[in-house]
């Protein structure tokens, strides 16, 4: 059985909720990622959201806000989704499809150990599985 841990990439980096969006963009650049889990201020292990590069552009820059003054926590919305490291790939796909998300944090023993992104799926899924995932996540409905 292929698990979430088998297909994730390691080294997910947290951004504290109080950090500014310009700092978040620098971290994304330095780590070559498009998303960062947001931790509650002072609580590295409690995820309150996920910040994406698109969130910074749409929720800050396009709205005329200053990314040097707006924080990651200000863009944290909704309930963050995650998956256990031992979950089967079918469970990973179901979680991502149901919630129409493209990045999924992976946790083990309540600790963040990695992320699953579209690129990870493309490397580990069959063409049929990937096509179904794309249709379900990107389809308007």
């Amino acid at each position: 059985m292929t698990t979430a841990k088998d297909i994730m990439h390691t080294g997910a980096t947290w951004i504290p909720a109080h950090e500014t969006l310009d700092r978040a963009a620098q971290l994304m650049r330095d780590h070559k990622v498009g998303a960062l889990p947001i931790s509650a201020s002072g609580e590295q292990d409690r995820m309150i959201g996920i910040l994406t590069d698109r969130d910074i552009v749409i929720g800050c820059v396009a709205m005329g806000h200053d990314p040097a003054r707006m924080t990651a926590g200000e863009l944290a919305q909704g309930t963050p989704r995650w998956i256990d490291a031992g979950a089967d790939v079918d469970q990973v796909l179901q979680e991502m499809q149901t919630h129409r998300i493209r990045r999924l944090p992976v946790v083990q023993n309540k600790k963040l150990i990695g992320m699953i992104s579209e690129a990870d799926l493309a490397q580990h899924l069959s063409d049929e599985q990937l096509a179904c995932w794309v249709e379900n996540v990107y389809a308007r409905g």
Side-chain angles (χ1 to χ4, degrees), residues 31 70 89 91 97 113 125:
H31 292 281
M70 193 168 191
V89 170
Q91 291 171 288
Q97 289 170 179
I113 62 166
L125 299 180

Side-chain angles (χ1 to χ4, degrees), residues 78-95:
T79 302
R81 309 304 308 179
W82 55 270
I83 195 95
D84 186 79
D88 180 272
V89 170
D90 289 334
Q91 291 171 288
V92 170
L93 294 175
Q94 182 66 38
E95 182 71 14

Side-chain angles (χ1 to χ4, degrees), residues 15-140:
I15 182 129
H18 68 271
E19 281 288 352
T20 58
L21 298 180
D22 62 340
R23 179 65 183 132
Q26 293 164 359
L27 283 171
M28 288 179 190
R29 178 201 60 211
D30 294 348
H31 292 281
K32 297 177 177 62
V33 297
L36 299 169
I38 304 169
S39 64
S41 293
E43 297 183 50
Q44 175 86 7
D45 294 335
R46 191 168 75 83
M47 184 171 48
I48 62 167
I50 295 180
L51 179 68
T52 68
D53 48 7
R54 186 173 193 276
D55 293 334
I56 295 170
V57 171
I58 302 298
C60 178
V61 177
M63 300 298 287
H65 301 296
D66 182 355
R69 293 180 183 263
M70 193 168 191
T71 66
E74 290 177 80
L75 290 182
Q77 300 176 4
T79 302
R81 309 304 308 179
W82 55 270
I83 195 95
D84 186 79
D88 180 272
V89 170
D90 289 334
Q91 291 171 288
V92 170
L93 294 175
Q94 182 66 38
E95 182 71 14
M96 294 175 88
Q97 289 170 179
T98 299
H99 300 285
R100 296 180 74 184
I101 54 177
R102 297 178 294 215
R103 297 169 179 104
L104 186 63
V106 179
V107 298
Q108 185 173 43
N109 299 322
K110 298 184 180 182
K111 302 271 187 209
L112 178 72
I113 62 166
M115 292 275 274
I116 297 174
S117 68
E118 294 165 293
D120 299 315
L121 296 179
Q123 291 176 6
H124 294 93
L125 299 180
S126 69
D127 289 344
E128 184 178 306
Q129 286 174 307
L130 190 56
C132 181
W133 180 83
V134 167
E135 182 178 330
N136 286 308
V137 170
Y138 287 99
R140 297 278 179 207

